[in-house]
């Protein structure tokens, strides 16, 4: 087990820098390639699906989402909300439509959610935004037969925070059937002393209340019927891998419906890039969860 509290700052920052663990290409290249793949996939989705762009889910400038609708007359509609990564300070919904490419052929609606990234946004705001986006989706698409979350990296953290929501503060309790948490971070305390926190400016108090690993009892109350998949890349850093494994074990120990997917021959980036392909492992797992395989 890694004891991050005993690590020097540079060693901890290495563990928290996914691009430095890819075996495919240098760190600078892998992040540039990642953005390119996601943008191209999103362009493919926009060319193939019926799209509704910049749909508001709240009053703020950043409270927007893109909706990718398959050409189907079926009333048995499954819907996936995708929450992007980027360490809470990069990317947007403009690169987040790629997951729709293999899904709209199966009649699945995909919603790509934006939120105010740092430094404009802070952690409490981002968590509030993604929670409100889910409420808005449920209100706008009341005929959906299955609601699913999918988040990558920081988006997996935000998706886990959605699962941990105390819905009594809202006027609706979304029935989330499944959640895909891909290469996420579930304890924010290691981030505090690193470069990642410079634009976020999180205090310890903020980090604790926004760490999914601290909120498992609330998740058990709010999402007990949700099927959760915790996925991790073979070539994620040891710290990322440990966070996923520990979060999975905490969920399992609480009696929740959870599975672990350790995806071979992948790194932090292509584990989600591969979901553009209908034949990729995680896409198949997601479609099987929906009964669409």
């Amino acid at each position: 087990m890694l004891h991050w509290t005993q690590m020097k700052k540079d060693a901890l920052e290495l563990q928290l820098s996914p691009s430095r663990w890819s075996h495919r290409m240098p760190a600078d290249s892998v992040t540039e390639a990642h953005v390119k793949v996601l943008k191209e996939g999103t362009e493919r989705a926009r060319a193939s699906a019926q799209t509704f762009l910049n749909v508001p889910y709240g009053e703020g400038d950043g409270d927007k989402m893109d909706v990718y609708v398959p050409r189907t007359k079926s009333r048995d509609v499954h819907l996936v909300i995708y929450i992007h990564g980027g360490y809470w300070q990069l990317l947007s919904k403009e690169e987040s439509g790629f997951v729709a490419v293999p899904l709209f052929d199966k009649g699945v609606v995909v919603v790509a959610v934006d939120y105010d990234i740092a430094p404009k946004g802070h952690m409490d705001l981002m968590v509030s935004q993604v929670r409100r986006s889910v409420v808005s989706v449920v209100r706008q698409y009341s005929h959906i037969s299955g609601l699913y979350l999918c988040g990558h990296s920081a988006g997996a953290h935000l998706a886990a925070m959605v699962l941990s929501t105390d819905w009594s503060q809202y006027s609706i309790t979304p029935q989330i059937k499944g959640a895909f948490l891909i290469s996420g971070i579930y304890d924010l305390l290691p981030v505090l002393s690193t470069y990642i926190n410079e634009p976020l400016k999180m205090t310890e108090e903020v980090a604790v209340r926004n760490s999914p690993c601290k909120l498992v009892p609330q998740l058990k109350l709010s999402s007990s019927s949700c099927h959760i998949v915790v996925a991790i890349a073979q070539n994620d850093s040891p710290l990322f891998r440990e966070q996923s494994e520990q979060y999975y074990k905490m969920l399992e120990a609480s009696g929740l419906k959870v599975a672990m997917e350790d995806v071979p021959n992948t790194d932090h980036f292509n584990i989600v890039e591969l979901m553009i392909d209908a034949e990729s492992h995680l896409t198949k797992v997601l479609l099987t969860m929906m009964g669409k395989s």
Side-chain angles (χ1 to χ4, degrees):
M1 181 179 288
L2 293 170
H3 295 285
W4 63 266
T5 54
Q6 299 170 10
M7 288 184 186
K8 292 182 178 178
K9 184 180 179 182
D10 57 348
L12 184 56
E13 291 188 338
L14 173 62
Q15 289 288 331
L16 288 168
S17 300
S19 61
R20 296 171 69 182
W21 296 87
S22 174
H23 294 188
R24 295 181 295 132
M25 57 186 82
D28 291 343
S29 302
V30 76
T31 50
E32 288 179 13
H34 181 60
V35 174
K36 184 172 184 287
V37 169
L38 300 191
K39 281 185 175 178
E40 289 174 351
T42 299
E43 288 167 6
R44 281 177 59 191
R46 289 183 176 181
S48 303
Q50 183 181 10
T51 56
F52 300 92
L53 305 180
N54 299 309
V55 177
Y57 64 80
E59 301 298 324
D61 292 340
D63 297 353
K64 300 288 192 297
M65 56 191 180
D66 292 344
V67 184
Y68 297 80
V69 181
R71 293 176 173 86
T72 175
K73 291 186 171 67
S74 172
R75 299 297 291 175
D76 180 28
V77 177
H78 289 65
L79 187 147
V80 173
I81 297 175
Y82 180 76
I83 307 170
H84 71 80
Y87 256 152
W88 309 280
Q89 54 200 283
L90 297 167
L91 298 177
S92 70
K93 67 179 178 60
E94 302 303 316
E95 303 87 24
S96 300
F98 67 96
V99 291
V101 172
L103 297 182
F104 58 69
D105 283 342
K106 301 287 188 177
V108 178
V109 177
V110 172
V111 176
V113 172
D114 241 357
Y115 51 91
D116 285 314
I117 57 175
K120 182 181 179 181
H122 54 82
M123 189 59 67
D124 288 329
L125 173 62
M126 289 183 253
V127 170
S128 172
Q129 284 178 300
V130 293
R131 287 170 169 167
R132 286 188 285 110
S133 76
V134 173
V135 170
S136 178
V137 165
V138 172
R139 284 183 179 147
Q140 292 185 48
Y141 301 94
S142 57
H143 63 285
I144 59 175
S145 59
L147 176 64
Y148 300 83
L149 301 180
C150 181
H152 172 242
S153 195
H157 159 264
L158 292 171
M161 290 300 293
V162 170
L163 295 180
S164 305
T165 304
D166 177 1
W167 295 111
S168 67
Q169 301 174 39
Y170 298 80
S171 58
I172 197 167
T173 301
Q175 299 303 309
I176 300 168
K177 287 192 174 181
F180 250 56
L181 310 178
I182 305 169
S183 288
I185 186 161
Y186 308 105
D187 182 352
L188 300 187
L189 289 175
V191 171
L192 290 180
S193 63
T194 71
Y195 70 91
I196 300 152
N197 196 37
E198 289 171 10
L200 293 166
K201 296 181 170 57
M202 284 190 296
T203 62
E204 183 174 340
E205 181 184 6
V206 170
V208 168
R209 71 168 170 258
N210 289 294
S211 287
C213 69
K214 313 289 188 188
L215 302 172
V216 172
Q218 177 58 44
L219 188 152
K220 188 175 181 181
L221 288 171
S222 65
S223 304
S224 59
S225 62
C226 179
H227 182 189
I228 303 167
V229 172
V230 179
I232 192 69
Q234 179 182 356
N235 295 320
D236 259 312
S237 75
L239 182 58
F240 264 84
R241 288 182 57 82
E242 183 175 277
Q243 285 227 358
S244 286
E245 289 162 5
Q246 288 183 342
Y247 189 54
Y248 161 74
K249 288 176 182 175
M250 292 175 75
L251 298 179
E252 186 182 44
S254 291
L256 290 154
K257 295 165 61 177
V258 61
M260 184 88 187
E261 293 286 344
D262 193 340
V263 186
N265 304 314
T266 57
D267 58 36
H268 187 82
F269 303 94
N270 67 359
I271 186 174
V272 73
E273 293 168 9
L274 291 169
M275 291 187 75
I276 297 171
D277 182 0
E279 296 302 310
S280 72
H281 177 68
L282 286 186
T283 303
K284 286 182 174 180
V285 173
L286 178 57
L287 288 169
T288 299
M289 181 191 288
M290 293 189 229
K292 298 276 187 180
S293 57

